[in-house]
Amino acid sequence: MYGGTSVMIHTTSWPYANETGITKKLSCDVLVLGGGLAGCYAAIAAARRGQSVILVEKGAVERSGSAGTGFDHWESACTNPCSGVTPEEIAWAYVNEQDYYSNGIAHYIECREGYDRVLDMESFGGKIRDTKNEFEGAAFRDEKTKLMFAYDYKNKFTLRVWGSTFKPSLYKELKRLGVKLLEHTEATALLTSFVNGKKHGAGACAMDVHTCKFYILRAKSTVLAMSRPARVWLFDADQPGLCEFRPFQSIGSGHAMGWRSGIEFTMMEKSVRAEYSAAGRSFPAYGTGNNHNTWYAATMVDARGVEIPYVDRDGKELTSVLERYYPAPGQKFFLKGGVIDNPKYEYRGPETLDFDELIKRGYQLPFYANLSRMPDEERRVIWGMMVGEEGKTKIPILQNYTKRGFDPTKDMLQSYGTGWQSANFLEQERQFFGAPGGILHDWDLKTNIDGIYAAGDQLYASDCAGFACATGYYAGRKAAAAAKSCELPSYDPEETAREQARLYAPLFVKDGISWKELNQAIAKAMQNYCGGVRCEALLREGLDLLGSYERDIVPKLSCKNPHELMRIHEVLDILTVAQIVLHASLHRKSSSAPLFFTRSDYPKMDPQADHCHIALHQENGTVIERRVPLDFFGDLQTEYEKRNIDYEEEREANGYAKR
Ligand SMILES: Cc1cc2nc3c(=O)[nH]c(=O)nc-3n(C[C@H](O)[C@H](O)[C@H](O)COP(=O)(O)OP(=O)(O)OC[C@H]3O[C@@H](n4cnc5c(N)ncnc54)[C@H](O)[C@@H]3O)c2cc1C
């Protein structure tokens, strides 16, 4: 029974209890929403500081999130004992590489503290070294520490890691520290109240996605770690599980609930043409012949078996495999990894598989990755360790291909499409990829609302696992410090009652519209009105159309069980995210190359006046704009050191590596 009406939420085959209408109230010092890498580290940092911590995770913490199935390289471990670079060098390189539309604060934290998190991971049971001596003597292995490096073998700041061991290790550590885990529970709304006349986070509402039990979670500090939006432009109702690169349940709820509460966002107008793992149209990520990221620097050949040479930054053809892993003469280091693709080579050759350029040079399609022409340890580290540890590759790629007879010492893998992405997309088919927009924050990773922090892929211009672990831990310790000097804020029971009614509404609709139909409709609307080329009239049409969905479709949504109810909640959040993107696109009245943003009514590219963050939040439905200089974070080292003296003491006490 809920509100006097009986609600049938399960059929006879639904295996969980019906707890619709049951409300559970819990409180804690620090509430963490999202139990991926960032959320787990945030919870660990707060628990280490003696705070009571609740972590809410929609899936099962042991394997949830982007890194649940693993990841193969840990970027920016600049303080590891073999590193030839400083945190300052790499953090500024990231900022410059993105033309300052980059998260200087978070990258600096990643570069400065990332290796500490690697050592934490090892202490929790994660595998970070070649302890079985499988790669003894390889150029990418340090014999003393047994650490293994990717990409730049001279400067050794990207580690090859056994990421599939990480989430189970974090899970064990959370349990050991006594963090209260609410698993299979979706966070749905933030609670806020006023403390000393200022808006302050007060916790969140959540719902058990098996039973529909409703939670009111009160907290002194809250950390948002629910990843980034997805399924905004691309959705395939027949192949939902293949819609996106990141896990299906991560669709930007954190952005949606943040927006509804007045949290400030930036760069939400940025999106890239879809790359891969989108709408079920591409081959499985890392399962085709390519030489990007996991597959760097695989030997590429054309249809005749002619090798496509790598060249260095200065265009010099490289004659040995080993040279691909070293900076050019006079180049200090080169960046490489998930987001960073260009800086080693200006010539866009086999590195990015620029087919047009290669065809002009006489190479014949199709192209293949040919690992058989690589030294044994380079071949084994790609096909074996990297393809195996990278998320979603262990079973679909390594295991399946091997079972079906693929032998990297003899066989080649074909490339598809015009790049490593293994599929071609239209200009209007877009994705949140490549350091997209997100929450704007200060040096404490605090949002514009006191008591609410953010970390990992929820931050603007986020990009990788090391970034998520380091910012998660940092946000957790700042949230813990703030919680120590704050009383438990009150909350408005009318607000939680409204949220409960919103969540349960589809349970009362019989034979209505499914979540899939609404997701498809949003994606189509965004392709039509907020695609590759945008303008005022189109964007306003888009907002009107989404407004009509809210009025006409949302009240008709219905579901058969709590799982489908959760899917509806996700699509409602996607609708909110789509609206944020439309607003952000309206507010930037110029075009921008770094943001992949084109307005036909404002074609001027990157005018000086708009070379800034256009930060937006909403209050009572009105969108408010604030302009923030792109270099608002100041000098990275100076600003960081001012605020983290206590952490230096912790480093000393824990015996982390000396800088
Ligand atoms: C296939 C793949 C391979 C990758 N490989 C690498 C790599 O080799 N190196 C690298 O550096 N990076 C890699 N990345 C990126 C890296 O994994 C992510 O940047 C990182 O894991 C982000 O961590 P996060 O905690 O911010 O988000 P996630 O790890 O995605 O965690 C977000 C969590 O929030 C939960 N959640 C979402 N919504 C809600 C809600 N409403 N309520 C409660 N919980 C919610 C989700 O279930 C999820 O567990 C890869 C990503 C993918 C997808």
Side-chain angles (χ1 to χ4, degrees), residues 36-38 57-58 64-66 72-73 187 246 249 390 457 464-465 468:
L37 291 178
E57 165 56 49
K58 207 197 279 189
S64 68
S66 290
D72 61 12
H73 70 277
R246 278 169 163 68
Q249 78 276 17
E390 179 65 333
D457 279 348
C464 65

Side-chain angles (χ1 to χ4, degrees), residues 33-39 56-59 64-67 70-75 167 185-188 225-228 245-247 249-251 253-254 257 286 293-294 390-392 455-458 463-466 468 573:
L33 306 179
L37 291 178
V56 182
E57 165 56 49
K58 207 197 279 189
S64 68
S66 290
F71 65 94
D72 61 12
H73 70 277
W74 187 306
E75 292 173 24
K167 280 302 302 291
T185 302
E186 53 168 357
T188 65
M226 288 166 279
S227 189
R228 61 174 63 157
F245 185 59
R246 278 169 163 68
Q249 78 276 17
S250 290
I251 41 73
S253 315
M257 70 184 80
Y286 310 106
N293 204 5
T294 293
E390 179 65 333
K392 301 187 190 169
D457 279 348
Q458 251 207 274
D463 69 349
C464 65
D573 287 344

Side-chain angles (χ1 to χ4, degrees), residues 15-57:
Y16 305 100
N18 180 355
E19 296 187 301
T20 318
I22 295 177
T23 299
K24 178 135 188 164
K25 293 182 189 169
L26 297 169
S27 35
C28 60
D29 296 319
V30 177
L31 175 65
V32 179
L33 306 179
L37 291 178
C40 289
Y41 268 106
I44 288 168
R48 279 181 175 175
R49 280 155 184 76
Q51 301 293 284
S52 62
V53 184
I54 297 177
L55 185 151
V56 182
E57 165 56 49

